[in-house]
Amino acid sequence: MFRYLILVVFIAQAAFGQESLKTVTAEPGDGILSLLRKQGVNPYEIFDEFVALNNHDLRDSVHLIAGKTYVIPKFELETVPIVDSIQKQSTDVKKLESASYAIFGEKHKTVITKSERLKGNVYYLVSGHGGPDPGAMGVYAGKTISEDEYAYDITLRLAKELLAHGAMVYIIIQDENDGIRDERVLEIDHDEVAYPNKTIPLNQVARLKQRVEIVNDLYKSNKGKYQRLIVTHVDSRSVGQNIDVFFYYHENSKNGKKLAESIHTTFDAKYKKYQPNRSYAGTFEDRTSLYLVKKTHPAMTFIEIGNIMNAKDQVRIVDPDNRQALAKWISEGVLLDFEEE
């Protein structure tokens, strides 16, 4: 089991000569995966390199912009002979530091360093439900989907974003078999465990108490460090109720409120930029009655991603690009929260 997620399995540096790499112009409807497939390459092998090389021309680091020209990486990160060859061909060299984390799955295990903006900070990430409790249930394309699978996928994507900025990350609910998944329908299983390798109780109170104890024990062990907790859930309401992402915090926590407000502010700005004809109705408010909000020690925010029963909200969670965008927006809110201290 992943006793310390902060363990770096390997550190690699890669050099890419821009002159040696192929470019392609995105067409309407193209996504990163489909664009790379059309170039005859395995999109998962070079996805992270593609994002790193083209970051300035991607919307929220995950969406292509039609008409933009993108660089297609050719080379694996750790292939030293190829790196040497590229360096001889061009002086335009971009070095990428990376680390590998098995918990993200084989296709997404590589985390490319973006910055050290969160270096020294500690983040505890809790995805809702898991183990014997799948959480809220819905039906999409004739198949049953569950809250815990989508909350977990978004949490993993968020963890990867935070690690890329130098943070220390603890994933409290873990599934060693799933990793980050790019399917729309995420298969339901019940093999999740609580950090580091604890069986998740069936009883709801016992389950919540277990998570509180894990987080609070880790909080004590990291005393003196900048620490925050982010809990991710998917709501369940009437089929006709379309809701935006919203946030809770402890009424007596100034830092918790600031974290929630920073992420909320980020979402509001993203909606204004990318959906100018649609106002953002998500809120941030105190909800101390929630067990994890009330009992955990780090400043925290509790996030509800959407209504798993509603068709419009389902699009937000079943589309893997949207899940990545959600994680990216949350991470940008986390950066905003810390850097406005």
Side-chain angles (χ1 to χ4, degrees), residues 34-107:
S34 62
L35 180 76
L36 294 177
R37 287 192 184 99
K38 285 193 289 187
Q39 304 310 306
V41 298
N42 184 334
Y44 297 109
E45 289 183 356
I46 63 171
F47 183 92
D48 289 316
E49 297 97 305
F50 179 91
V51 170
L53 287 173
N54 296 284
N55 185 57
H56 295 299
D57 291 320
L58 294 172
R59 178 163 56 86
D60 297 313
S61 294
V62 292
H63 294 295
L64 300 177
I65 301 172
K68 286 282 187 181
T69 298
Y70 296 94
V71 177
I72 306 296
K74 289 183 180 180
F75 310 112
E76 294 181 1
L77 286 172
E78 303 108 314
T79 309
V80 176
I82 293 179
V83 170
D84 291 340
S85 174
I86 296 172
Q87 288 175 329
K88 291 176 183 178
Q89 295 176 34
S90 173
T91 57
D92 184 11
V93 175
K94 182 174 183 176
K95 290 185 177 181
L96 303 174
E97 292 187 356
S98 65
S100 179
Y101 300 89
I103 196 170
F104 298 133
E106 185 62 27
K107 295 176 180 178

Side-chain angles (χ1 to χ4, degrees), residues 216-260:
N216 288 348
D217 285 346
L218 289 170
Y219 180 78
K220 292 177 184 176
S221 70
N222 287 301
K223 184 177 180 180
K225 297 178 181 178
Y226 181 96
Q227 305 183 58
R228 295 292 184 267
L229 165 64
I230 300 173
V231 179
T232 305
H233 277 255
V234 182
D235 207 354
S236 178
R237 303 190 181 190
S238 65
V239 173
Q241 190 170 2
N242 173 216
I243 61 174
D244 281 326
V245 180
F246 56 95
F247 311 88
Y248 296 135
Y249 59 89
H250 194 291
E251 62 183 351
N252 295 326
S253 175
K254 181 180 70 175
N255 289 332
K257 179 180 180 180
K258 181 173 173 293
L259 174 62

Side-chain angles (χ1 to χ4, degrees), residues 271-285:
Y271 270 72
K272 287 178 180 176
K273 182 175 182 179
Y274 300 120
Q275 299 187 48
N277 298 320
R278 179 191 182 292
S279 61
Y280 173 59
T283 60
F284 70 99
E285 58 188 75

